[in-house]
């Protein structure tokens, strides 16, 4: 772990990724389009900064009193006829699923859920010969490609329209120049069959509402509607941080989530599901289960700085405007949660490996903090992670030592004034040969530094 | 007016003429600018690298070097932000609490100082040059100024400001980021420079010399046809 294998791997991809013009073109096109929509979307708020403050209060209340609200949610959801389980990690989830479905399930449909990505849920089902179909178009595309989503709200952001047309041509022999509309229509038809055959629908949740015992899902494709209503069983897997106190909070959260995720004023479909089908109701699943997932979130919760990262409502806006994300795209992070907020949380969620280098892979430009709809001080938390990484020696010792050495020079005026310009220049070239000199010209060192020349 | 000037470590080491320019301008505006020769660094470099112990040592030294009651002026919103915001992490509720608040209340970025403290409304100086302006992350998002630097630029007669695409996008320097991840840092710089060169301007101007340090090294490596300067550099040049 101390060898920083992931750090080395990460660095080794940067040369190619920074020159991946095709990827950059794809990302730029989508993200510039996003930005225009975003600007339009936030126009609906008279004063976005005071709106964000209100959201920050709602989210910090939710997280600080998480235990109380989760128990309230549990009580109300059960009252509505649902069943609820608590899972600490992936294995807990798998055991629970086994317990719920037994051997009776052959086919599963899923709507978008990052919590299931966290624990490789699909692989678990497929190992038992259960067919799993992602029903969100973007998720379906990455599933066909055998990839993880590259973005938390736009799973196939790394793919161009041509990439997708080619994929469908290869997999389904559709026309090699099918339009986006034709592909969507084709997938819709294909998925209809999956919906009607599936015995189990699995979804995530955008929010868990304590005072009504409801799970909330926001979407644009209608696939979550079918996933949660058609099959006879509905299982929800949701992180514990999704809790909010009251359904009245949705009036704030839903519009801000939509405007930051996609630039819409509000998403097309917004569901509040409070339990399984009731006696007088015509549709909905017979059984509904909620599994609340921890999976390392307690590591964030116990730390008063990092706790703020749990306020995240997973809109993905920080990735959309991140200059680093725009170069390397989501997969390079090697983590389900990527982009700026992923770089904050992953080192603590994934304690099985060392992900601290992600917190250093930022120029700290502050755009993430500026756009965050719930005011998470993302760049500040990246700095905090860096201090933890140094303290716990999670970065190469040589890098930590180099800064210590430099600081020793910076602490002393005498040392800062030592050496001629040619010696300084030589030292710079030796120390930064690979890190500076390959892609940039070396700086010209003046004959004397300012302090020395002023003393003369 | 009497002020203490802080010259950031990289300006001290690489750009003595940029430091001279600050004194030249302040003096011409009737400000008596003092320089404490013991000063070194605000501590941002170790702080951004996660070395908080070393950063705190440098911060304590800074508080000592800039004790007193004079206004402190520094040609770097980035260093001033370090003092105004991050020093709180070290000294809040400690024996240095009052010194901390005292220094934080007296320190200004150079451009902010000219516009909002000295309240200059015109600048005697002419320089015929076309420029584009890069909003540094620290000035725009951390320190929080967008219009002041442009106001100052517009006071120099003969300056033609052409706004560039994505002027608020990061240049890619980011301190230790630039050496830990050179490929990312340089690709961000290339994008910035492309947008700058697309304006056809003679100078890419910013308030932050560290951005320009990084961008200039990319310009020289690739023989790009654009020069870099801080606003203070242009003001000094305009004095003839």
């Amino acid at each position: 772990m101390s060898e920083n294998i992931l750090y080395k791997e990460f660095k080794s991809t940067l040369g190619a990724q920074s020159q991946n013009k095709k990827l950059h073109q794809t990302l730029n096109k989508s993200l510039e389009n996003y930005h225009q929509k975003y600007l339009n979307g936030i126009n609906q708020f008279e004063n976005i900064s005071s709106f964000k403050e209100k959201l920050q209060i709602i989210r910090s209340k939710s997280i600080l009193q998480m235990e109380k609200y989760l128990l309230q949610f549990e009580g109300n959801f059960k009252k509505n006829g649902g069943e609820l389980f608590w899972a600490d990690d992936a294995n807990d989830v798998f055991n629970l699923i086994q317990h719920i479905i037994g051997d009776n399930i052959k086919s599963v449909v899923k709507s978008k859920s990052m919590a299931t990505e966290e624990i490789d849920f699909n692989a678990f089902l497929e190992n038992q010969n259960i067919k799993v179909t992602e029903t969100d178009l973007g998720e379906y595309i990455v599933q066909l490609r055998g990839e993880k989503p590259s973005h938390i709200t736009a799973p196939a952001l790394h793919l161009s329209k041509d990439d997708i047309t080619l994929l469908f041509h290869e997999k389904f022999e559709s026309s090699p120049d099918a339009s986006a509309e034709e592909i969507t229509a084709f997938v819709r038809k294909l998925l209809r069959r999956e919906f009607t055959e599936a015995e189990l629908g699995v979804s995530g949740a955008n929010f868990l509402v304590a005072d009504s015992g409801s799970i909330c899902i926001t979407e644009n494709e209608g696939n979550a509607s079918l996933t949660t209503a058609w099959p006879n069983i509905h299982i929800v897997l949701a992180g514990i941080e999704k809790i909010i106190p009251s359904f009245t909070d949705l009036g704030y959260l839903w519009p801000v989530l939509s405007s930051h995720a996609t630039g819409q004023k509000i998403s097309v479909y917004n569901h509040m599901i409070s339990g399984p089908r009731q006696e007088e109701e015509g549709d909905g699943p017979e059984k509904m289960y909620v599994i609340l997932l921890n999976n390392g979130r307690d590591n964030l919760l116990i730390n008063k700085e990092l706790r703020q990262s749990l306020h995240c409502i997973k809109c993905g806006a920080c990735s959309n405007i991140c200059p680093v994300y725009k170069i390397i795209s989501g997969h390079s992070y090697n983590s389900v949660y990527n982009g700026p907020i992923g770089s904050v949380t992953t080192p603590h969620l994934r304690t099985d490996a060392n992900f601290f280098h992600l917190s250093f892979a930022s120029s700290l430009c502050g755009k993430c903090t500026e756009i965050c709809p719930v005011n998470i001080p993302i760049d500040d938390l990246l700095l905090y992670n860096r201090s933890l990484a140094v303290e716990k020696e999670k970065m190469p010792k040589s890098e930590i030592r180099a800064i210590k050495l430099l600081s020793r020079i910076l602490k002393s005026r005498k040392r800062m004034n030592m050496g001629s310009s040619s010696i300084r220049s030589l030292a710079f070239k030796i120390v930064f040969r690979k890190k500076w000199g390959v892609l940039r010209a070396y700086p010209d060192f003046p004959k004397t530094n300012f302090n020395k020349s002023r003393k003369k | 007016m009497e002020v203490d000037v802080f010259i950031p470590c990289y300006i001290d080491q690489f750009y003595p003429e940029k430091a001279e320019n600050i004194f030249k301008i302040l003096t011409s505006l009737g400000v008596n600018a003092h320089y404490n020769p013991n000063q070194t660094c605000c501590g941002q470099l170790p702080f951004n690298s996660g070395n908080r112990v070393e950063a705190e040592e440098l911060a304590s030294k800074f508080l000592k070097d800039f004790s007193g009651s004079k206004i402190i002026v520094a040609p770097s919103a980035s260093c001033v932000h370090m003092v105004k915001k991050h020093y709180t992490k070290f000294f809040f509720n400690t024996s240095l609490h009052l010194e901390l608040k005292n220094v934080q209340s007296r320190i200004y970025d150079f451009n902010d100082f000219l516009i909002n403290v000295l309240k200059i409304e015109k600048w005697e100086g002419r320089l015929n040059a076309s420029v584009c302006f890069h909003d540094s992350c620290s000035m725009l998002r951390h320190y929080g100024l967008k219009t002041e630097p442009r106001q100052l630029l517009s006071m120099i007669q003969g300056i033609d400001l052409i706004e560039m695409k994505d002027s608020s996008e990061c240049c890619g320097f980011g301190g230790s980021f630039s050496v830990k991840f050179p490929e990312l840092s340089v690709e961000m710089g290339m994008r910035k420079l492309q947008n700058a060169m697309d304006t056809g301007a003679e100078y890419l101007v910013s308030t932050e010399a560290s951005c320009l340090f990084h961008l200039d090294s990319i310009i020289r490596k690739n023989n790009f046809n654009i020069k870099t300067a801080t606003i203070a550099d242009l003001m000094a040049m305009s004095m003839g």
Side-chain angles (χ1 to χ4, degrees), chain A residues 237-299:
Chain A
L237 184 67
I240 48 175
E241 84 286 7
K242 299 283 184 166
I243 193 75
I244 57 170
S246 168
F247 73 93
T248 57
D249 298 326
L250 290 170
Y252 297 94
L253 288 160
W254 259 339
V256 100
L257 175 58
S258 303
S259 57
H260 283 73
T262 55
Q264 290 165 287
K265 287 193 167 132
I266 189 97
S267 304
V268 178
Y269 303 103
N270 295 282
H271 312 282
M272 279 182 79
I273 307 170
S274 308
R277 182 173 68 224
Q278 307 292 302
E279 256 176 51
E280 69 280 8
E281 290 173 346
D283 50 23
E286 205 175 300
K287 290 268 189 190
M288 181 175 171
Y289 305 87
V290 167
I291 300 175
L292 296 174
L293 180 67
N294 173 26
N295 212 26
R297 285 163 176 78
D298 56 335
N299 296 329

Side-chain angles (χ1 to χ4, degrees), chain A residues 59-77:
Chain A
R59 286 303 289 150
S60 92
K61 189 170 130 189
S62 311
I63 299 303
L64 282 171
Q65 303 185 60
M66 185 191 272
E67 201 174 309
K68 172 181 132 186
Y69 290 125
L70 283 174
L71 289 173
Q72 202 184 332
F73 171 78
E74 179 179 28
N76 287 329
F77 180 67

